[in-house]
Amino acid sequence: MSKFLFQIIVFLFVPKLMAQDILTVDQAVQIALKNNYDIRIAANELNVDKENNSIGNVGMLPEVNASLTKNNSIQNSKQTQSNGDVRELDNAKNNRLEYGVNLGWTVFDGLRMFARYDQLKELEKQGDVQLKLMVLTKVSDVMTTYYDLVQQQQLIKALDTTIVISKQRLKTAENRFLIGKAAKLEVLNAQVDLNTDSSTLLRQKELYETTKIRLNEILARDLMTNFQVAEDVIVDDKLQLAELKSLAEKQNLQLQLALINKRVAELDLKQTKAGRYPTVRLNTGYTFVETESSLGFTSATSSRGLNYGVTATMPIFNGFSQNRNEKIAKLQLENFSLMAEQQKQTVNAQLASAYQTYITNVELAKLEESNEAIARKNMEITFDKFKIGTVPTIEFRNAQENYINAIARNSSAKFQAKISEIVLQQIAGNIKF
């Protein structure tokens, strides 16, 4: 690289790197794990599933209730006794007070409660997998947005460099015009190209700032937080399809959800079949009863004591609803089994397709890195020749544009290769964070 071009890069970029805080991709991921709203909502939903997963929620524990009943009445009463005597009383008062504690316990319901308890365990697993899936999705979003910023930042640096070069070209053209070695047209062309480069830089800076806002949004922090991303993009080019496929079978979260849904459907069928069996419930309680009556053989009574018993019910006929419900549950189980198989096929297809894209992008990244080196060397040589007037303006501009385009393609190729790597790791459920 020529001494002048090296001085341009040092002058432009070293102070900026010192002026802003560098946000690494690992730091961005950790901030998102702590702050992101979707992750926090999914975590709360998992806590709901954990709270629901209890033996009391499925009816395995007895129910104890305290009750109190107070009834009062005022009636005009007339009684005819067995001996023919008639007794009448207007506004006769009758009072009844009953209170106590009762216990009810379902001891058998066709094993429905045990199936339901197993189902709650599966639903908790489902909530855990859904939380992991949300985390994996947001981590992927953070990484994708972060590396997008990296390529944009690199392009801004390249555009800054080309503007400095364009200014030097304009200055050279003006000096040559003043001494009569160049026409005014050369100066005007240099000015137009400088304006074009400046316009392109402004647009790129606008896109860069809006992407920073997007990343801050994912991180759930102040949208105007200023930061700079690191320059290095390290692509793992050693990924193997067979290894990723093996990981995906064990760790792919979508596939895990499909298998959990199948298990939940199996337990739904088990609960439905429990409707064919009797339900046995134990009941006991201790009750106090007090009554008062203005008319009758007794004016007041009171009692207290223990009551206990057992209730058993056995379904005999319910309009064929049991058969219909079992058939529906079996069909739903079959659907969830098919969906699990379909999801496995989908994962393998996604993995194979993403791997082909990954291989292509890795090769393109290597090619574009070589092209950038060639374009940089060509730019240095053309720049030196332009300063001494041995290269025409058009040739210089072509070399300048080729250099910027090569930087942009190289940056984009690295970005696409890194995104392909992230997609593969996401499908395999193996993103490191």
Side-chain angles (χ1 to χ4, degrees):
M1 181 182 293
S2 68
K3 182 178 179 181
F4 177 73
L5 196 56
F6 177 78
Q7 289 175 343
I8 291 173
I9 296 174
V10 171
F11 174 76
L12 283 174
F13 306 131
V14 171
K16 292 184 180 180
L17 290 173
M18 297 175 61
Q20 295 185 24
D21 292 332
I22 300 295
L23 177 70
T24 66
V25 66
D26 290 336
Q27 290 172 340
V29 167
Q30 293 304 317
I31 294 172
L33 292 176
K34 180 181 178 181
N35 295 344
N36 183 266
Y37 294 112
D38 290 329
I39 293 176
R40 291 160 64 183
I41 291 171
N44 286 336
E45 290 175 347
L46 173 59
N47 289 332
V48 171
D49 292 333
K50 289 180 178 179
E51 292 296 326
N52 283 330
N53 184 14
S54 65
I55 58 176
N57 195 30
V58 297
M60 289 186 178
L61 298 179
E63 298 177 0
V64 180
N65 298 297
S67 63
L68 183 148
T69 303
K70 174 71 171 174
N71 291 320
N72 301 309
S73 65
I74 300 176
Q75 299 176 337
N76 296 327
S77 300
K78 180 179 179 180
Q79 295 181 352
T80 301
Q81 299 178 342
S82 60
N83 59 6
D85 293 340
V86 177
R87 301 178 62 189
E88 294 185 54
L89 181 63
D90 292 336
N91 298 322
K93 295 182 178 180
N94 297 285
N95 303 322
R96 178 182 175 85
L97 175 63
E98 182 177 346
Y99 56 95
V101 177
N102 300 288
L103 180 146
W105 190 2
T106 301
V107 294
F108 183 76
D109 64 351
L111 303 179
R112 179 186 285 110
M113 64 180 74
F114 295 97
R116 177 58 180 163
Y117 186 45
D118 290 339
Q119 191 177 59
L120 289 178
K121 292 178 182 177
E122 293 300 319
L123 291 175
E124 182 179 340
K125 292 179 183 178
Q126 185 184 70
D128 183 57
V129 172
Q130 287 173 337
L131 173 59
K132 291 178 180 177
L133 182 60
M134 180 58 68
V135 168
L136 200 64
T137 300
K138 291 304 172 182
V139 168
S140 177
D141 288 346
V142 168
M143 289 183 171
T144 300
T145 308
Y146 184 91
Y147 288 115
D148 188 16
L149 279 172
V150 171
Q151 73 155 341
Q152 291 185 35
Q153 185 170 280
Q154 291 173 346
L155 185 55
I156 287 175
K157 288 187 175 183
L159 291 172
D160 278 334
T161 302
T162 199
I163 284 178
V164 173
I165 295 173
S166 293
K167 287 180 178 179
Q168 181 65 20
R169 171 193 164 193
L170 176 60
K171 183 178 180 181
T172 302
E174 289 174 340
N175 290 337
R176 294 173 63 184
F177 174 71
L178 290 175
I179 61 177
K181 290 187 176 182
K184 184 65 175 180
L185 182 61
E186 182 177 330
V187 177
L188 295 176
N189 286 334
Q191 184 65 62
V192 169
D193 290 339
L194 175 59
N195 292 342
T196 300
D197 294 338
S198 299
S199 177
T200 303
L201 176 60
L202 287 174
R203 291 297 183 187
Q204 185 59 47
K205 285 183 176 180
E206 177 191 9
L207 179 59
Y208 179 71
E209 292 300 324
T210 56
T211 308
K212 284 172 67 175
I213 292 173
R214 169 59 183 154
L215 182 57
N216 281 330
E217 180 187 10
I218 299 175
L219 302 185
R221 63 179 187 174
D222 186 353
L223 299 179
M224 294 298 107
T225 301
N226 199 14
F227 64 91
Q228 194 172 33
V229 294
E231 285 297 310
D232 295 332
V233 178
I234 301 176
V235 180
D236 184 358
D237 58 357
K238 306 298 182 183
L239 298 180
Q240 298 297 320
L241 181 59
E243 182 180 350
L244 291 169
K245 186 175 181 180
S246 177
L247 288 172
E249 291 177 356
K250 301 174 183 177
Q251 300 178 177
N252 181 269
L253 297 175
Q254 295 285 4
L255 184 56
Q256 289 182 23
L257 279 178
L259 294 174
I260 290 174
N261 289 335
K262 177 184 175 183
R263 176 59 178 159
V264 170
E266 291 173 351
L267 294 169
D268 269 334
L269 176 59
K270 191 173 182 180
Q271 292 178 71
T272 303
K273 288 182 176 180
R276 293 187 176 275
Y277 298 94
T279 299
V280 180
R281 183 176 177 84
L282 301 179
N283 303 287
T284 186
Y286 199 89
T287 306
F288 297 82
V289 179
E290 296 179 3
T291 63
E292 295 180 357
S293 178
S294 299
L295 182 65
F297 291 103
T298 56
S299 61
T301 62
S302 65
S303 64
R304 61 180 180 177
L306 178 70
N307 61 80
Y308 53 91
V310 60
T311 302
T313 59
M314 178 69 181
I316 297 176
F317 180 73
N318 60 359
F320 303 109
S321 293
Q322 181 65 34
N323 291 337
R324 182 174 62 255
N325 292 337
E326 287 185 18
K327 287 180 180 179
I328 293 173
K330 288 178 181 178
L331 290 171
Q332 289 175 336
L333 174 58
E334 182 180 354
N335 278 344
F336 279 111
S337 298
L338 292 172
M339 289 167 65
E341 294 177 9
Q342 182 186 39
Q343 185 61 46
K344 184 176 181 180
Q345 184 80 351
T346 300
V347 168
N348 288 334
Q350 289 175 343
L351 200 60
S353 177
Y355 190 76
Q356 291 301 319
T357 303
Y358 163 78
I359 293 297
T360 301
N361 287 336
V362 167
E363 292 301 318
L364 284 175
K366 294 177 181 178
L367 177 62
E368 294 299 343
E369 185 175 7
S370 174
N371 285 340
E372 181 183 340
I374 295 172
R376 181 185 298 110
K377 186 65 176 178
N378 181 59
M379 177 63 197
E380 292 170 0
I381 295 172
T382 305
F383 187 76
D384 290 336
K385 290 184 176 180
F386 176 76
K387 287 192 296 183
I388 60 177
T390 59
V391 170
T393 301
I394 294 178
E395 184 177 340
F396 173 79
R397 182 60 179 177
N398 287 338
Q400 187 182 11
E401 290 179 343
N402 288 338
Y403 175 56
I404 298 304
N405 291 335
I407 293 176
R409 288 198 308 271
N410 185 25
S411 179
S412 178
K414 288 181 179 178
F415 171 71
Q416 294 299 331
K418 188 63 180 179
I419 298 308
S420 298
E421 176 198 336
I422 293 172
V423 169
L424 281 174
Q425 299 286 19
Q426 184 178 5
I427 296 173
N430 199 42
I431 292 182
K432 300 294 190 301
F433 56 88

